[in-house]
Amino acid sequence: MASLVLSSFCFPSQKSCSFTSSSLRFRIRAPTDSRFGGPLFVGFGSVKKRNGRIEASVDSTAHPLVFRDLDADDFRHPLDKQNTLLLRAIPGLNEIGRAILGTVTEQIMLLENIGTSILVSKDQLPELHKMMIEAAGILNIEPPDLYVRQSPVPNAYTLAISGKKPFVIIHTSLVELLTRKELQAVLAHELGHLKCDHGVWLTFANLLTLGSYHLPAQRLEEQLIRWLRAAELTCDRAALLVAQDPKVAISVLMKLTGGCPSMADQLNVDAFLEQAHSYEKASSSPIGWYIRNAQKRQLSHPLPVLRAREIDEWSRSREYRSLLERATQMSM
């Protein structure tokens, strides 16, 4: 089967819109490193109790946690699992995907992206290269190639073509908008698609959002888009696993919703989460529920405020804490 992943991280697009082809240790938040614009990883060297208070010595050289035996189902969102089972039960869906995503389509996408982007390596944009290698190591996955493409639209997407090394493309405007830790969270989101083997269904669903193809059965088309929204929630968890700070992953969504480089220092993650709770409250009435469902049916990605809430809730879950307890610190 053709295995081509085309995933867009950034925006919940509608079918009528244009679409750019296409996250137990102790840690505290450290002061911002001016070189990277984000917090350093800091760990507790020792912890002891004195006069009823917990005191800890800080080890500023602590490294990110690595999930050596991580499996995709360890962080897959329940809605992703549910909708994947529903898609697998549809007879002939993979055959339709193979027919649409043939060799010619793959080659067009491959050459179009390689020919208009810069390949990142240890000698070309080495800081981005290091971020990708580190994120892949944390998620226990082989690192794909990484390309940077000039574009005013902040976006990132992934291509995985049969028999070829997968690659991720990020836009220059995304690099300008985000801190280094936030940018690595985006890379981790894209790695989540590869880790979870979202494959041909992801590209198929994205073609539907582009309006490039229409299925004769509207119900099947709606099911694919519903699965795509669920898959994005899974990959947001991959972003958190790499960032290891929910505020970093949520800040990405906040900036993509209404951020700009000149006012980034005025953005407040806690206020954005409060906005998410306000949305939940406003949409809890019968009319609000109807409007909310009508709104999200046309979207390829969940609403940013809902994605932020999902990340925040999962970061507090026993499931996430259990993964952290299994992890080991990355050796540098």
Side-chain angles (χ1 to χ4, degrees):
M1 178 189 299
S3 177
L4 188 153
V5 180
L6 174 58
S7 76
S8 170
F9 172 78
C10 300
F11 299 109
S13 61
Q14 296 182 342
K15 295 181 184 179
S16 59
C17 295
S18 61
F19 186 86
T20 303
S21 64
S22 52
S23 163
L24 183 59
R25 305 281 183 192
F26 292 96
R27 191 170 52 79
I28 63 173
R29 190 178 180 90
T32 295
D33 185 330
S34 60
R35 294 172 300 164
F36 303 132
L40 295 168
F41 280 96
V42 177
F44 285 116
S46 62
V47 181
K48 57 186 178 181
K49 191 172 183 179
R50 179 182 296 174
N51 297 328
R53 299 175 62 186
I54 299 295
E55 295 184 356
S57 62
V58 176
D59 176 12
S60 61
T61 62
H63 298 142
L65 300 178
V66 181
F67 305 93
R68 300 293 185 192
D69 57 349
L70 184 69
D71 184 80
D73 284 337
D74 289 337
F75 63 92
R76 197 184 299 270
H77 194 280
L79 290 177
D80 187 0
K81 295 178 181 178
Q82 175 186 333
N83 283 280
T84 296
L85 290 175
L86 291 174
L87 285 183
R88 286 176 178 169
I90 299 174
L93 182 60
N94 286 336
E95 286 71 19
I96 294 174
R98 281 201 301 266
I100 294 174
L101 302 174
T103 303
V104 174
T105 303
E106 289 184 342
Q107 284 300 110
I108 289 173
M109 290 183 171
L110 176 66
L111 293 176
E112 196 274 335
N113 283 291
I114 290 180
T116 58
S117 309
I118 294 177
L119 175 61
V120 174
S121 69
K122 62 180 181 180
D123 299 316
Q124 181 77 278
L125 301 173
E127 191 177 356
L128 287 176
H129 177 71
K130 182 180 179 181
M131 281 192 282
M132 173 61 85
I133 297 299
E134 182 178 275
I138 292 172
L139 292 176
N140 192 29
I141 183 175
E142 284 295 316
D145 286 336
L146 176 61
Y147 289 84
V148 178
R149 187 174 190 176
Q150 187 69 239
S151 174
V153 180
N155 208 353
Y157 54 96
T158 302
L159 285 167
I161 297 175
S162 301
K164 299 184 184 297
K165 188 176 183 179
F167 59 92
V168 172
I169 293 181
I170 58 175
H171 289 175
T172 51
S173 53
L174 188 69
V175 177
E176 292 297 319
L177 179 63
L178 304 180
T179 68
R180 296 301 182 259
K181 287 303 299 178
E182 291 164 355
L183 189 57
Q184 189 178 52
V186 171
L187 297 179
H189 177 101
E190 298 306 317
L191 289 172
H193 286 300
L194 298 175
K195 181 75 175 180
C196 295
D197 195 24
H198 283 150
V200 68
W201 292 346
L202 185 59
T203 304
F204 198 2
N206 277 323
L207 289 175
L208 294 176
T209 65
L210 277 165
S212 303
Y213 188 83
H214 291 283
L215 292 173
Q218 184 178 358
R219 187 173 180 181
L220 174 56
E221 189 170 319
E222 291 176 352
Q223 181 61 47
L224 274 166
I225 301 302
R226 189 178 303 117
W227 170 84
L228 176 58
R229 290 194 295 266
E232 292 300 315
L233 296 177
T234 291
C235 294
D236 285 344
R237 291 182 171 190
L240 176 58
L241 288 175
V242 169
Q244 295 165 21
D245 181 349
K247 287 194 173 183
V248 171
I250 294 169
S251 181
V252 173
L253 298 169
M254 178 177 62
K255 287 184 177 181
L256 292 171
T257 302
C260 62
S262 63
M263 301 183 71
D265 61 339
Q266 299 183 46
L267 292 170
N268 186 312
V269 169
D270 292 329
F272 190 64
L273 280 173
E274 184 60 36
Q275 181 180 333
H277 293 312
S278 297
Y279 182 87
E280 282 288 306
K281 184 176 180 180
S283 60
S284 61
S285 67
I287 295 178
W289 180 89
Y290 177 82
I291 294 173
R292 172 176 169 172
N293 280 274
Q295 183 181 32
K296 73 179 183 180
R297 271 200 299 269
Q298 296 299 315
L299 300 177
S300 62
H301 289 47
L303 292 169
V305 290
L306 298 183
R307 293 171 69 179
R309 185 208 63 191
E310 287 279 348
I311 291 172
D312 182 57
E313 290 183 354
W314 196 61
S315 73
R316 304 170 190 272
S317 69
R318 180 178 298 178
E319 182 182 8
Y320 177 67
R321 291 198 303 271
S322 176
L323 286 174
L324 294 182
E325 290 170 1
R326 286 167 41 189
T328 58
Q329 282 194 336
M330 175 177 283
S331 58
M332 305 297 281

